[in-house]
Each structure stands twice: as structure tokens, then as C-alpha cells.
Amino acid sequence: MGLEEDANRGICVEDIKLAMMGHVKEGYEFKYGSKLTEGDRHYNKQPTLNDKVHVLACVVPVDKVLLLSDAVMRKMREVRLAARDIGIPQVAILTKIDEACPEVKSDIRKTYTNDYLKEKVEQFSQVLGIPLNCIFLVKNYHSESFVKEDVDTLILCALRKIIDYGEDFLNDV
């Protein structure tokens, strides 16, 4: 379940905002079209720093960047702006780069020099407002029997930046 085009389907944007602020207790099940209210047993009235989100990560397959509906993009932008307003850093992970780009499929080291992928990153940045240096490209493991160092490097670099942004957030609080 994620953000859906229909207002009555997918996770409610208001619930995502509450979760970012730490108001959603562990065990809460997000429901289609249903909002968490202050009187609900899963509503955390006094969130601690541990309850709050430290980094907002948006994960989208790179070949779906321009296929996301305007309604879904509006919801994503609304969540991102809410995160910005409360000081939460935001990143995007664009996945399945090998499926979207044959050149990268044959040589993963061409990920950040490939014009097609650069264009997708720029489009996503423009539409959602996430800075280019906060958008990371990764290849998903899906049929490999063994790990590959070049694939791991992309994943670990993205993870390292997410951790760095989270630490920066905690140091600024």
C-alpha cells in the first residue's frame, strides 16, 4: 500500500504527516481512506525524538517517473513539503535502473554518466522539488544468486547518505 490516485485509496496523506511528527504508535495499520484521529489508541499525543521520522525517503522505479499521475505527484509533493516544514531531510531512491536502461544493464558503472538516467533524475527533481544531489539511483537485486560489488556500491552509497542526513537532522534538533 502506498499513495494512490484515488482519494479514498492508499495511505492517507494526513496519516503520513502524523507519522513523520511521531504521532503514530507502533502497531498502527494504515487503512485505505481512513485517518488516524487524536482519540485513537494508536495516536501518540507526546512523541519523543525517537518516535519522529529523521529522513523521508521516496522510492520510485526510474521508468515510472513520468508515469505517476498528477494526483499521486501532488500527494508526494504535499508530504515532501510537510517534511521540509518540520525540518526533515528528504531523499529519493530511483530503482530498477538496469530494467530502464540497457547500457547500464550491461555495465552498472555507467549509472551516473548515462544521459537517459540523468534526464530521469532531473525530471523527478523538477516535478517533486527534491535537489539533484538528494536523488540516488540503485539497481534492485531480483534474480542474482550472488551479490555484486558494483550493485552494492550504489545501494550502500545511497544508504550512507540517508544515514548522514539523519545524523545531521538529529544534530540540529
Side-chain angles (χ1 to χ4, degrees), residues 37-82:
T37 60
E38 207 168 314
D40 190 292
R41 68 182 178 94
H42 285 102
Y43 186 88
N44 183 0
K45 291 180 183 168
Q46 296 181 329
T48 66
L49 186 57
N50 276 347
D51 298 321
K52 298 177 182 182
V53 169
H54 302 137
V55 177
L56 176 68
C58 171
V59 182
V60 177
V62 72
D63 60 338
K64 304 292 188 245
V65 166
L66 291 180
L67 299 178
L68 295 170
S69 71
D70 289 341
V72 169
M73 288 304 263
R74 264 192 309 278
K75 289 178 181 182
M76 290 173 72
R77 199 172 12 257
E78 184 180 344
V79 169
R80 190 195 74 71
L81 292 174

Side-chain angles (χ1 to χ4, degrees), residues 1-2 12 23 25-26 28 38 50 86 98-100 109 112 114-115 123 133 139 154 168-169 172:
M1 180 184 340
C12 178
H23 290 294
K25 288 183 180 177
E26 193 168 329
Y28 175 70
E38 207 168 314
N50 276 347
I86 55 178
D98 57 319
E99 293 178 22
R109 290 171 288 172
Y112 283 99
N114 181 273
D115 290 336
Q123 289 170 342
N133 66 330
K139 178 193 178 309
L154 292 175
D168 290 346
F169 172 79
D172 291 343

